[in-house]
Amino acid sequence: MNNYDAIVIGAGHNGLTNAAFLAKAGLRVLVVERNAYIGGATVSRELHEGWQYSSCSYVCSLFRPEIYNALDLGRHGLKIIPLVSSMTFKQDGDYFGSYSQPNIRRRELMRHSLRDADAVVRFDADVLRWCKLIRGFLLRTPPDPGSFRPRDLFEFAYLLKKYYELSESQLYEFIRFFTMSIAEYLENYFENDTVLAHYSGGSIIGTGLGVYSPGTAYVLLHHAMGDVDGNIGSWGFARGGMGAVADALASSFQAHGGEIRTDADVRRIMVAGNKATGVELASGEIITAKTVVSNLDAKRTFLQIMDEADLPPQLVHRAKHFKIRGSSGKLNIALDGMPEFPALPHGSPLTLGHMHFTDTLHRLEKAYDDWKDDRWSADPYCDALVPSQYDPSLAPPGKHMMSVFVQYCPVNPEGGWTDAKREQFGQTVIDQIADYSPNFKDLLLHVEVRTPREIEEETGLTEGNIFQGELTFDQLLFNRPFPGYAQYRGPVKGMYMCGSSTHPGGGVMGAPGANAAREILRDLRRPDTTPQEFSDD
Amino acid sequence: MSIPNDHFRQAIQHTPFHARLAALTQTEEWTVWNGCMAPRVLDKLSTEYFAVRSSCSVMDMSPMEKYRITGADAYRFLDRLLTRDLSALRPGRVTYVVWCNDEGKLIDDGTLFQFGDGDYRLCSQHHQFDWLMTSAMGFDVNIEVETHDVAALAVQGPTSYSVLTEAGIAGLEDLRPFGIANLSCQDFPVVVSRTGYTGDLGYEVWVSPENALPLWDAIFSVKSRYDVHAIGLSTLEMVRIEAGFIMPGFDFNTAESTVRANFDRSPYEVGLGWVVNLDKGQFTGRKALVAESKRPAKRRLTKITIEGNKPVGEAFIYNKKGGKLVGEIKCAVWSPILKANIALADIEYIGGALPKKLWARLDYQRELKWMSAWAECRPTNKPFYSPDHRSATPPSRL
């Protein structure tokens, strides 16, 4: 039978999360996935024999523990192991490490600046305060501030109440935090160049913004507000690679009776009488359902798989102007052994965590300048990790897998992308790492280079934007993806959005998928299977 | 201080006295104090406790944060930073101080040593370099972290004067409470202050790190005649509560580390209104403290005695049995010398006044079984224990 209660388009982590909660409520749910495999950008792939690449997203911290718990993902095989460190190599041969062991962390800061070692206490408390505030909204549907429905009024009052739980000076600081650049925000705390560069890097990952662009301070939160078992701001590796997240979600979904069809490319969402009626696949096959949920980004959803004639023209206009800029690249590397980093003393634990190679704010801003001119950064910001040091399932014995996230990489370099240009981009990254690791180039067995073009081709993310839309204030909360459409409902009855284009945005969080499920179940008058947020108080 | 780039190999540092402590410990019960290994208990808590109260205790206090503040504007800077009137402080004297942020919330407390004109040492519980540097803008002042450049022993107890004198430190007889003396022990210089955190007769002996072990050995060389006993932080916690001393970061949250609104505390709220002088002129936090001083009191950290002998840990306080929740115990101890449960409790005032009755709900274990009991609490303003011999000059030779 080709009829379901609900069809979810796209087997990314949010699509699967959404589908799992719908199935848990007793609906007959089908997930359709264009690729031959599930996961979207939350995927592990064997692109070189013997190596498992987390080929898109590569670390995990934002995934909501409430969802993990409600969908029983631990019993479905998911393990997230906390990362212990991050570090930045300096051009002068030294390095700065951020260790999780508090005494070592403090002494390392003292080694670079006595003052910064003290200031980090204030920095941690302030960032934790904003994280706590934002985390309270992750698993809630944003209120429509123009609506007078009791539920919207209640949610808006909740938002204001949380906000006014801050003290007067904290209120001011919060507004500043939301609107400042990360560089200027950090300069309120730190003086050392390397410390500043190290802590600001996370705020440009995935964004078409530079360290001095207003709004980037907030992005810090998107990388700091996750937690692994109560360690707020810490990152984790999913055992088996990021595909383990999708696999556990799929397993939970299937345990609730859900079905997944891969190699099923949706050509369009069918609409009749302003109601969604199902989907038509590229093969011409039609599958019907009264509820159709899109995990695709807002641009792709409304401009590619819906007939514009079915949509309000203002919505089409909004979708066309949705800010979703590609700015990131990725290298997945099979290594013949562990690279040496002579700057690190023998036995340093810092190769176990994030490794960066940009030691000043100036270099970070220059990297952004290149991107604005449609060039990849000649001196890019890289986030390199070798997770095979933790997880032997990712590479053969004695060999290693390295994942390098690269900021910035343009969507459309002059003359467009060619395979040759892509390899040149990859070489820029390899050269930068080799500056700090003399044997790095000798260890390369296979290098897969992804520009926004490749990321979009594989995952469908418009321009390869990892967040499904920029995380700027104009596209957050009740404005995400567009004003009037922040409550996961599309413009036609029975059509919903559940991807990172919706509140609370990108990162492997699962929250948009869960929030959308809550709204769908509400419309269908089904019991709510989605979890309430855990409280920090 | 130079830190090697492979410091990660040793997460926890050793103080200059570590070799002696490591040789003495029978429990291996260590904790971390400001990045340094510090003993909780070396042999037996009750023995260590009574060393403070009846003979002579020695505690390694080297990890204490220490800042040297010098320069033409040192006094003006400190007067602006600290809530207390410093005009009576003289070279060779020490005073207890606290400091606040602009909102009048406590950042930390500590002791201020004046060595000479424009030459001070500030000791604090928490890391203060960033705040001191921020506060120093506009002042001709030099601030140096000397935490690891100065080793220190707290020598405390009724026989501490005799022990130090016998150990070869001459000239303590005239040293009054809160005085500083430049003396020598055998052949090396020591700075001795008549200060402490125990509420008993006692001294703090400051020495350069290379003379740390000779100082230790000199003091312990009189052990055959005096009961000189090394103590750990668990004993300190007992005696400082008896003396009524508070500990920032434990009894209240310090302003810079506070996440939640109104979880920080003003000096008034922790019972330190006596170190705030609103009439001395401008100081950081004054405006907020003036405003607070005119409002009815919201809460006070209050010394209470809890009736009975049930173990007191963390507990809520009510205005009557089963009544309204009015507070919580921040630290508590069974005082062996008073044979009483004593505690510091954060109490919310009702109508600007301490609730008339205070009852603690105590949860405690007996042979792993949880039990619960009500106990009435009596507030007090005085230190729980403050013996006369604490302040006698010259101290009696015991």
Side-chain angles (χ1 to χ4, degrees):
Chain A
M1 194 180 84
N2 250 359
N3 181 42
Y4 291 84
D5 293 330
I7 299 168
V8 179
I9 305 166
H13 68 278
N14 276 313
L16 291 168
T17 300
N18 182 268
F21 284 118
L22 298 183
K24 196 177 174 184
L27 298 185
R28 241 187 112 232
V29 185
L30 174 70
V31 173
V32 286
E33 167 58 45
R34 183 185 64 151
N35 285 325
Y37 49 88
I38 63 161
T42 312
V43 70
S44 307
R45 294 185 66 199
E46 186 170 355
L47 297 177
H48 182 66
E49 198 184 338
W51 270 262
Q52 286 290 333
Y53 291 156
S54 288
S55 49
C56 295
S57 64
Y58 53 101
V59 279
C60 192
S61 85
L62 292 167
F63 197 81
R64 306 318 305 150
E66 299 90 336
I67 297 172
Y68 198 115
N69 168 304
L71 295 179
D72 218 0
L73 300 184
R75 287 194 187 85
H76 288 283
L78 184 58
K79 285 172 221 153
I80 296 174
I81 306 136
L83 264 159
V84 296
S85 64
S86 58
M87 65 145 326
T88 295
F89 286 100
K90 288 178 66 179
Q91 285 171 298
D92 67 3
D94 195 5
Y95 67 92
F96 169 74
S98 181
Y99 301 81
S100 55
Q101 208 289 335
N103 296 302
I104 305 179
R105 182 188 186 216
R106 175 169 163 80
R107 272 172 74 76
E108 178 70 352
L109 278 160
M110 286 169 75
R111 192 166 78 82
H112 290 82
S113 160
L114 287 177
R115 211 172 156 173
D116 290 356
D118 285 11
V120 79
V121 173
R122 195 161 46 95
F123 175 72
D124 284 352
D126 288 349
V127 171
L128 183 58
R129 182 180 314 117
W130 314 141
C131 286
K132 229 176 69 61
L133 188 73
I134 295 296
R135 279 150 54 101
F137 296 106
L138 296 180
L139 283 175
R140 300 180 83 99
T141 299
D144 179 348
S147 147
F148 290 96
R149 286 183 307 162
R151 190 159 162 253
D152 282 313
L153 291 175
F154 176 82
E155 281 294 321
F156 202 64
Y158 174 85
L159 193 152
L160 289 175
K161 178 177 166 289
K162 283 280 169 199
Y163 185 61
Y164 282 104
E165 279 172 10
L166 299 174
S167 74
E168 192 182 336
S169 62
Q170 289 170 358
L171 287 174
Y172 303 144
E173 281 302 318
F174 189 60
I175 296 291
R176 276 161 51 82
F177 178 74
F178 247 100
T179 50
M180 277 177 107
S181 74
I182 184 63
E184 289 157 327
Y185 184 72
L186 291 173
E187 281 166 354
N188 283 318
Y189 300 91
F190 304 116
E191 60 180 15
N192 180 274
D193 272 350
T194 315
V195 173
L196 285 164
H198 181 83
Y199 286 116
S200 61
S203 279
I204 53 168
I205 284 182
T207 73
L209 296 169
V211 287
Y212 284 101
S213 309
T216 44
Y218 168 76
V219 185
L220 174 75
L221 232 50
H222 255 258
H223 294 282
M225 71 184 160
D227 62 336
V228 177
D229 293 331
N231 303 308
I232 291 181
S234 66
W235 288 94
F237 281 130
R239 171 89 183 189
M242 289 302 285
V245 177
D247 290 345
L249 285 165
S251 170
S252 176
F253 170 55
Q254 286 161 334
H256 286 110
E259 292 174 49
I260 299 172
R261 274 176 64 180
T262 51
D263 289 314
D265 189 10
V266 170
R267 182 185 289 162
R268 68 185 180 101
I269 296 175
M270 298 187 306
V271 176
N274 207 34
K275 286 180 184 168
T277 59
V279 298
E280 180 188 347
L281 302 183
S283 62
E285 184 185 351
I286 285 171
I287 312 171
T288 57
K290 284 184 177 163
T291 297
V292 178
V293 191
S294 173
N295 183 27
L296 314 186
D297 69 61
K299 230 177 179 114
R300 201 175 177 90
T301 299
F302 294 115
L303 303 181
Q304 290 198 26
I305 61 162
M306 289 193 81
D307 186 341
E308 290 174 14
D310 289 333
L311 300 171
Q314 272 191 313
L315 176 74
V316 177
H317 182 79
R318 295 264 196 204
K320 283 194 167 148
H321 293 92
F322 186 59
K323 207 160 63 183
I324 178 165
R325 302 175 294 203
S327 62
S328 313
K330 180 89 195 289
L331 270 65
N332 297 302
I333 302 172
L335 292 167
D336 203 17
M338 189 61 201
E340 290 163 11
F341 294 95
L344 296 178
H346 181 69
S348 168
L350 293 173
T351 59
L352 292 166
H354 301 260
M355 290 184 278
H356 308 132
F357 310 88
T358 315
D359 63 347
T360 66
L361 290 171
H362 180 72
R363 285 174 69 198
L364 289 168
E365 187 68 3
K366 293 295 273 184
Y368 178 50
D369 289 344
D370 288 338
W371 178 79
K372 284 185 285 185
D373 289 337
D374 289 327
R375 297 189 304 266
W376 61 82
S377 306
D379 179 20
Y381 172 74
C382 293
D383 184 20
L385 286 150
V386 187
S388 49
Q389 297 169 97
Y390 286 77
D391 185 348
S393 72
L394 302 177
K399 317 286 185 194
H400 284 285
M401 188 274 272
M402 181 186 256
S403 156
V404 189
F405 184 87
V406 190
Q407 201 72 13
Y408 302 78
C409 188
V411 174
N412 198 11
E414 201 183 328
W417 279 108
T418 61
D419 290 353
K421 277 187 196 169
R422 182 189 62 210
E423 295 315 309
Q424 280 173 34
F425 162 68
Q427 195 58 44
T428 305
V429 175
I430 288 166
D431 287 345
Q432 187 192 54
I433 298 171
D435 282 345
Y436 301 88
S437 177
N439 72 338
F440 181 63
K441 286 183 181 174
D442 303 334
L443 298 172
L444 303 175
L445 296 175
H446 174 254
V447 181
E448 193 222 3
V449 182
R450 296 177 164 214
T451 72
R453 178 180 72 155
E454 284 75 25
I455 297 172
E456 174 160 5
E457 268 172 19
E458 174 174 319
T459 64
L461 292 165
T462 300
E463 295 198 5
N465 181 295
I466 66 167
F467 291 135
Q468 282 203 355
E470 290 281 343
L471 296 172
T472 47
F473 204 29
D474 57 311
Q475 297 193 152
L476 287 175
L477 210 64
F478 41 72
N479 288 328
R480 193 170 184 90
F482 325 121
Y485 292 95
Q487 297 184 335
Y488 308 95
R489 292 173 186 79
V492 299
K493 190 173 163 50
M495 187 261 154
Y496 299 85
M497 297 168 274
C498 76
S500 295
S501 279
T502 59
H503 172 80
V508 182
M509 205 182 313
N515 290 347
R518 186 183 327 107
E519 295 304 316
I520 294 163
L521 293 171
R522 191 182 174 84
D523 288 352
L524 297 176
R525 299 176 195 286
R526 293 278 187 150
D528 183 8
T529 53
T530 67
Q532 283 216 319
E533 75 271 13
F534 293 151
S535 166
D536 279 317
D537 292 314
Chain B
M1 180 182 52
S2 118
I3 298 174
N5 77 345
D6 67 342
H7 65 87
F8 60 85
R9 296 184 205 285
Q10 192 180 352
I12 301 167
Q13 307 303 304
H14 291 165
T15 73
F17 298 106
H18 183 77
R20 296 295 180 271
L21 292 166
L24 270 181
T25 185
Q26 297 183 325
T27 64
E28 300 291 347
E29 280 190 46
W30 301 93
T31 185
V32 181
W33 176 15
N34 195 9
C36 296
M37 241 172 128
R40 283 185 205 281
V41 177
L42 289 146
D43 56 5
K44 195 165 187 297
L45 184 58
S46 58
T47 312
E48 293 177 25
Y49 168 85
F50 275 107
V52 181
R53 290 290 175 236
S54 77
S55 57
C56 180
S57 67
V58 178
M59 202 193 83
D60 176 9
M61 55 181 286
S62 307
M64 166 84 68
E65 286 284 32
K66 300 176 270 291
Y67 304 95
R68 193 64 170 247
I69 299 165
T70 53
D73 286 343
Y75 174 80
R76 279 183 55 227
F77 161 72
L78 289 163
D79 188 50
R80 173 72 182 232
L81 174 80
L82 306 168
T83 61
R84 190 163 195 178
D85 180 12
L86 300 177
S87 58
L89 188 66
R90 294 285 176 268
R93 300 290 298 164
V94 184
T95 190
Y96 173 74
V97 293
V98 303
W99 50 102
C100 297
N101 62 10
D102 287 352
E103 294 168 314
K105 300 300 186 184
L106 280 167
I107 288 182
D108 207 351
D109 76 349
T111 43
L112 179 67
F113 291 66
Q114 184 172 7
F115 295 121
D117 283 336
D119 184 7
Y120 298 86
R121 174 182 295 155
L122 183 66
C123 296
S124 66
Q125 177 72 23
H126 298 280
H127 313 306
Q128 294 300 324
F129 189 56
D130 183 53
W131 180 252
L132 294 177
M133 292 300 283
T134 302
S135 302
M137 287 187 286
F139 292 95
D140 177 13
V141 65
N142 182 49
I143 301 167
E144 272 177 54
V145 183
E146 55 176 17
T147 302
H148 301 289
D149 304 329
V150 180
L153 289 179
V155 181
Q156 308 266 314
T159 63
S160 54
Y161 166 69
S162 304
V163 165
L164 288 177
T165 304
E166 292 288 316
I169 301 177
L172 290 174
E173 59 279 5
D174 300 329
L175 190 62
R176 288 179 298 129
F178 293 101
I180 308 170
N182 289 299
L183 304 171
S184 61
C185 176
Q186 298 168 355
D187 56 347
F188 56 87
V190 294
V191 174
V192 182
S193 55
R194 189 162 164 192
T195 46
Y197 199 54
T198 63
D200 218 295
L201 174 68
Y203 302 85
E204 290 169 340
V205 189
W206 312 79
V207 70
S208 68
E210 69 269 19
N211 291 324
L213 295 182
L215 172 67
W216 180 284
D217 293 340
I219 293 171
F220 280 84
S221 70
V222 302
K223 192 169 167 54
S224 55
R225 275 163 291 151
Y226 294 93
D227 179 26
V228 184
H229 217 99
I231 65 164
L233 290 171
S234 299
T235 295
L236 188 72
E237 174 70 0
M238 295 175 74
V239 294
R240 69 98 183 173
I241 298 171
E242 288 179 337
F245 295 140
I246 65 172
M247 196 180 283
F250 294 87
D251 299 335
F252 67 92
N253 220 49
T254 56
E256 293 209 299
S257 64
T258 297
V259 173
R260 292 163 178 79
N262 305 319
F263 274 49
D264 45 13
R265 291 289 180 261
S266 76
Y268 296 120
E269 289 175 323
V270 299
L272 291 176
W274 62 276
V275 280
V276 178
N277 188 326
L278 298 175
D279 304 322
K280 74 165 189 170
Q282 188 53 275
F283 63 87
T284 307
R286 181 178 179 273
K287 192 176 165 189
L289 292 173
V290 167
E292 188 185 341
S293 71
K294 291 176 180 162
R295 291 192 299 263
K298 266 193 193 161
R299 56 161 47 84
R300 288 288 182 267
L301 191 67
T302 307
K303 296 182 208 47
I304 55 171
T305 303
I306 302 152
E307 68 168 9
N309 65 343
K310 301 289 184 283
V312 180
E314 294 97 358
F316 288 115
I317 301 211
Y318 301 82
N319 68 341
K320 60 183 179 189
K321 275 191 201 181
K324 181 174 152 27
L325 181 66
V326 294
E328 61 198 47
I329 288 175
K330 308 309 288 187
C331 61
V333 68
W334 170 258
S335 166
I337 199 151
L338 302 172
K339 306 292 179 226
N341 275 316
I342 56 174
L344 296 176
D346 192 23
I347 309 274
E348 281 176 47
Y349 276 26
I350 299 176
L354 188 69
K356 288 188 181 63
K357 294 275 182 189
L358 297 172
W359 285 83
R361 179 72 177 177
L362 305 177
D363 295 318
Y364 59 96
Q365 274 188 317
R366 289 292 186 233
E367 295 173 70
L368 301 183
K369 178 156 176 56
W370 281 101
M371 309 198 175
S372 199
W374 287 99
E376 188 161 12
C377 310
R378 288 187 313 280
T380 175
N381 288 321
K382 298 207 174 76
F384 296 107
Y385 180 71
S386 184
D388 291 341
H389 65 254
R390 174 188 185 184
S391 48
T393 308
S396 59
R397 190 78 194 252
L398 291 170

